[in-house]
Amino acid sequence: MEITPFALERWFAEHEADNLMLAESGIRPLAPGRFDLVPEGMGYVIPTNGSPELRDRIGERYGRGADEVLLTCGTQEANFVTLAALMGEHAVVVTPTYQSLHALPEAFGSVTRVELDAADGWGLDPDAVAEAVRPETAVVVVNNPNNPTGRVHGAATVEAVYEIAADAGAYLLCDEVYRPLADAGTAPPPAASLGPYGVSTCGLSKGYGLAGLRLGWLAGPPEVVEAAWQWKDYTTISPPAVSHRVAEQVLDPETEATVLAENRALAAENRERVDEFVTEHGLDWSDPPAGVNAFVEAPEGFYGGRSFCERAVAEADVVLAPGEAFDQPEQFRLGFGSEPAHLEEGLSRLDAFLDRHA
Ligand SMILES: Cc1ncc(COP(=O)(O)O)c(C=O)c1O
C-alpha cells in the first residue's frame, strides 16, 4: 500500500517557521488561560472512546446518542479511522478537497473523483455524484464547507447526495470541520443527522481555535462508530486527557456560543479586509460564505499558483498555500483567520510585492 506525500504539510514544513503565515485554514488560537487544563488524572481517558457525557453532548447535535460518537485525535484521525473502517473496493470523492480525503481512499482502494464546478462558484452537482457511484461503491466523501474554496453546499444538495449514496447502499462521509464557523442561516444539515448512511466528522481545530488540542470526533450509525473504534485501538487508543478536559468546557453550550460568536465575528471582519485586497488587485476569488479560506486566482504574469506562492515567500516572506496542493494549479489559498494585525501585515507585504510586479 502506498500513500501520496501530503503536499500542503510538506510545503508548510519548508516555509512556515521563518515567514509570516497566511495559509492557516482555521481561526487563530484561543488563549489557554481561558480553560482549566487539569484533567482528573493523567492516564488514558476511560472509556477510550471518550466520556459518555461528552459523547452524549456531541451526539445531540446530530440527533444521535453517546454510542454513535467516537472521540479522536483531531478530525484527521476521525477521517482516517472512518475511511479505514468503511473503505471497500471503491469510493467517490468530491474534489478539490483536503488531500487526505482522497489520498486515504486512493491508498485503500480505487476512487472516482467528482469535480466541483469552478464556473458555478465551486458548486456540487448531485447528478455527477450519481453518475460516479457504482454497485461496489462503499463511501461517498464530501467536505462541507469545502477546503480550499470555502463553498458551502446547501441543504438540498447535501440531502440529494445523501439519497444517492443511501440508495446505492454506500455511506456518505462528510468532513464538517469548518461547519462551526457557519452561522445558523448558512450551515447545512450535518450528514450524520440525515439517516442511517450519514457520517459526520468534525473537531475543535478550525472553528474553535484549538488546533493544538488535537481533539476531533466522528458521529454516525453505531456499526460505523464501532468499526472505527476498532481501528483507533491501533492508532492512538484514547483521546488526549488534557484535550478532553478542555473539550468538556468549550462544548458546554454557553461557552460554545460565546467562543463561536467571537470567532465568526473575527472571520467576518477579516473577510472585509481580504475583499478589499482582491478588489484592489483585480483578482478573482471564491468569496466564501463561511470559514476563513479564500481561494484566489493567481495574478497574471506569475505562471500559476505555485510559482506565485514561491515568489511571495521568497520576496515578501509571506506563506500562502499553492493551489497545486488541491490539484488546482491556477489558484492559491489565503487563510484569513489570524488576528487582524497579523493579517494586515501579511496583506500589506503582498500589496507592496504585487505593486512592485505590476
Ligand atoms: C477538511 C479538513 N479536514 C481535516 C483537517 C484536519 O483537522 P484536525 O486539525 O482537526 O485534525 C483539515 C485541516 O486543514 C481540513 O482542512
Side-chain angles (χ1 to χ4, degrees):
M1 195 188 298
E2 281 189 23
I3 189 81
T4 325
F6 206 119
L8 205 52
E9 290 301 333
R10 296 298 99 220
W11 170 261
F12 287 164
E14 201 179 325
H15 298 295
E16 141 176 71
D18 305 321
N19 297 291
L20 189 147
M21 269 296 268
L22 279 193
E24 282 293 356
S25 58
I27 205 86
R28 56 83 191 92
L30 293 183
R34 286 174 80 144
F35 302 101
D36 165 13
L37 301 176
V38 184
E40 268 177 27
M42 290 301 266
Y44 291 116
V45 172
I46 305 292
T48 58
N49 55 345
S51 81
E53 296 76 23
L54 186 50
R55 281 184 285 117
D56 193 47
R57 190 178 298 164
I58 292 171
E60 271 171 27
R61 59 197 68 199
Y62 305 100
R64 291 188 176 271
D67 289 345
E68 296 172 299
V69 174
L70 172 68
L71 295 196
T72 56
C73 289
T75 313
Q76 188 80 300
E77 191 193 30
N79 289 328
F80 184 94
V81 293
T82 306
L83 286 164
L86 289 185
M87 192 55 191
E89 232 172 278
H90 179 251
V92 172
V93 182
V94 174
T95 55
T97 193
Y98 187 57
Q99 189 172 339
S100 57
L101 293 172
H102 64 79
L104 288 171
E106 279 160 357
F108 299 150
S110 80
V111 166
T112 303
R113 297 190 189 194
V114 170
E115 290 293 314
L116 297 175
D117 183 359
D120 176 33
W122 303 100
L124 169 57
D125 177 8
D127 290 343
V129 176
E131 269 172 41
V133 166
R134 303 181 196 159
E136 67 273 23
T137 303
V139 57
V140 174
V141 184
V142 178
N143 174 211
N144 193 27
N146 175 256
N147 174 12
T149 66
R151 170 75 190 223
V152 181
H153 308 301
T157 304
V158 177
E159 283 160 13
V161 172
Y162 174 82
E163 291 304 331
I164 291 161
D167 283 351
Y171 291 95
L172 170 63
L173 165 60
C174 199
D175 177 326
E176 292 155 2
V177 72
Y178 297 99
R179 191 171 177 278
L181 285 172
D183 58 28
T186 323
S193 70
L194 295 179
Y197 288 92
V199 183
S200 294
T201 55
C202 192
L204 298 182
S205 294
K206 308 297 174 182
Y208 297 82
L210 293 167
L213 289 186
R214 312 306 306 128
L215 200 291
W217 61 83
L218 64 109
E223 73 279 4
V224 175
V225 170
E226 183 62 35
W229 190 8
Q230 291 195 21
W231 274 94
K232 189 178 157 60
D233 292 339
Y234 287 94
T235 52
T236 57
I237 304 179
S238 102
V242 175
S243 308
H244 192 279
R245 177 77 196 103
V246 177
E248 287 164 357
Q249 297 161 72
V250 80
L251 294 175
D252 164 75
E254 216 172 292
T255 310
E256 181 178 34
T258 308
V259 164
L260 291 182
E262 279 171 24
N263 292 354
R264 288 174 193 152
L266 175 65
E269 177 188 339
N270 284 355
R271 188 186 176 291
E272 293 297 308
R273 180 62 184 91
V274 176
D275 197 355
E276 271 170 34
F277 170 79
V278 291
T279 305
E280 178 170 340
H281 296 288
L283 303 175
D284 264 354
W285 73 314
S286 56
D287 204 355
V292 291
N293 285 318
F295 208 42
V296 189
E297 197 156 353
E300 268 176 41
F302 282 95
Y303 308 105
R306 175 143 195 127
S307 138
F308 174 69
C309 291
E310 280 168 353
R311 301 281 290 274
V313 78
E315 296 177 35
D317 303 324
V318 172
V319 185
L320 299 160
E324 271 87 345
F326 305 93
D327 300 317
Q328 298 294 324
E330 297 307 320
Q331 322 281 333
F332 67 94
R333 193 191 70 190
L334 188 156
F336 58 89
S338 61
E339 291 296 350
H342 180 99
L343 177 67
E344 185 55 49
E345 170 64 24
L347 292 182
S348 306
R349 288 189 198 183
L350 289 178
D351 279 334
F353 163 68
L354 285 170
D355 289 348
R356 278 200 302 279
H357 286 277

